[in-house]
């Protein structure tokens, strides 16, 4: 099994990694707006992106031309501390002049959850410029967890029941993620190192290995086994 090509940027610390990714985000956003008049991005959830979202505030970005989406969301409302939207709002969106109508929240409070997935699909652009993702220490990405039905979903956005968390999630599918112009994985911390090594060694069992030709933004702790 050949190891997948890994376009990888390793920085010393989580803060360095966040700043490196923020600079790259600003550049790709400027390039997209210059070329096509808009930049379509799906933000990641979890805790890792927090430093990057803060670092983005100080970047030179054509905010008025950004269209912001989310690559997954928990089945909670926007005020929940578990909300990926809330994280992005508190750390970035509340601090930059993106027109409110260009920020598209995955409505995790809607029931049944699949109705929210279907409604979100109607809002999506034809193609994302960047889908930003994280990776769990079990190899999941977005809310595509090992052994869950969404790993095989063929639409663009789907609900996904995650037994290990005893909860439902909303997530981009792999076809949607892999249809983007670029896929970025922001991964820091020693607890991710073994999974990363297995992915680099071509072990396709981990869901994150299904993300095609990602750019990895890693800190040295996460990259220590590569
Ligand atoms: O909704 C989520 O939790 C994320 O989309 C998820 O895929 C996250 O990126 C990983 O679980 C890593 O989470 P940390 O960044 O907290 O390690």
């Amino acid at each position: 099994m050949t190891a997948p090509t890994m376009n990888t940027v390793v920085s010393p610390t989580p803060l360095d990694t966040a700043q490196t990714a923020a600079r790259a985000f600003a550049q790709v956003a400027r390039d997209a707006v210059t070329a096509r008049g808009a930049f379509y991005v799906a933000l990641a959830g979890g805790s890792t992106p927090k430093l990057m979202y803060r670092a983005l505030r100080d970047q030179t970005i054509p905010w008025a031309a950004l269209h912001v989406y989310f690559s997954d969301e928990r089945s909670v409302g926007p005020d929940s501390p578990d909300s990926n939207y809330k994280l992005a709002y508190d750390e970035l969106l509340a601090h930059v002049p993106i027109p409110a109508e260009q920020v598209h929240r995955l409505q995790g409070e809607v029931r049944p959850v699949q109705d929210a997935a279907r409604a979100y699909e109607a809002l999506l652009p034809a193609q994302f410029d960047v889908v930003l993702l994280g990776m769990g220490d079990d190899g999941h990405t977005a809310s595509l967890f090992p052994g869950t039905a969404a790993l095989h979903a063929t639409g663009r956005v789907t609900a996904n029941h995650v037994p290990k968390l005893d909860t439902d999630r909303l997530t981009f599918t792999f076809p949607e993620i892999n249809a983007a112009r670029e896929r970025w994985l922001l991964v820091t911390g020693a607890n991710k190192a073994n999974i990363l090594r297995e992915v680099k060694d071509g072990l396709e069992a981990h869901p994150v290995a299904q993300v095609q030709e990602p750019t990895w933004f890693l800190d040295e702790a996460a990259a220590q086994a590569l």
Side-chain angles (χ1 to χ4, degrees):
M1 200 182 299
T2 55
T5 57
M6 285 181 78
N7 178 9
T8 304
V9 182
V10 181
S11 305
T13 68
L15 180 59
D16 296 319
T17 305
Q19 290 170 338
T20 300
R23 287 191 296 270
F25 182 108
Q27 186 61 58
V28 72
R30 292 193 297 267
D31 292 349
V33 172
T34 299
R36 295 180 294 279
F39 179 60
Y40 292 92
V41 60
L43 299 180
S47 57
T48 302
K50 185 172 186 176
L51 290 175
M52 178 188 172
Y53 295 161
R54 282 188 191 162
L56 282 173
R57 299 179 199 176
D58 303 326
Q59 293 296 316
T60 302
I61 292 173
W63 296 110
L66 261 62
H67 299 258
V68 174
Y69 297 75
F70 294 84
S71 52
D72 77 326
E73 187 55 277
R74 289 79 180 278
S75 49
V76 296
D79 298 327
S80 166
D82 292 333
S83 165
N84 290 336
Y85 167 83
K86 185 178 189 323
L87 171 82
Y89 182 82
D90 291 347
E91 301 303 330
L92 174 62
L93 301 176
H95 306 274
V96 294
I98 299 173
E101 65 272 17
Q102 292 173 201
V103 176
H104 305 280
R105 183 174 66 84
L106 250 170
Q107 296 182 320
E109 70 277 16
V110 164
R111 297 293 180 273
V113 180
Q114 189 61 28
D115 284 3
R118 196 168 300 115
Y120 206 60
E121 287 186 331
L123 302 177
L124 298 180
Q127 182 181 35
F128 281 95
D129 291 294
V130 173
V131 172
L132 183 63
L133 299 163
M135 186 192 79
D137 58 11
D138 62 353
H140 81 263
T141 190
S143 286
L144 298 161
F145 284 81
T148 61
L151 295 178
H152 312 291
T154 55
R156 302 184 71 179
V157 182
T158 188
N160 192 27
H161 182 68
V162 185
K164 72 181 279 190
L165 301 177
D166 189 24
T167 188
D168 292 319
R169 291 281 192 97
L170 285 157
T171 186
F172 277 15
T173 64
F174 282 123
E176 181 61 23
I177 289 168
N178 290 324
R181 292 175 187 272
E182 296 187 47
R183 287 153 294 286
W184 293 8
L185 273 153
L186 187 70
V187 181
T188 62
N191 63 314
K192 311 286 177 73
N194 289 336
I195 294 282
L196 280 175
R197 181 181 44 74
E198 291 174 351
V199 171
K200 177 168 175 52
D201 289 347
L203 183 65
E204 296 186 358
H206 299 308
V208 72
Q210 304 309 313
V211 177
Q212 293 170 1
E213 298 182 351
T215 297
W216 298 83
F217 292 92
L218 308 176
D219 70 349
E220 287 176 357
Q224 63 183 280
L226 295 184

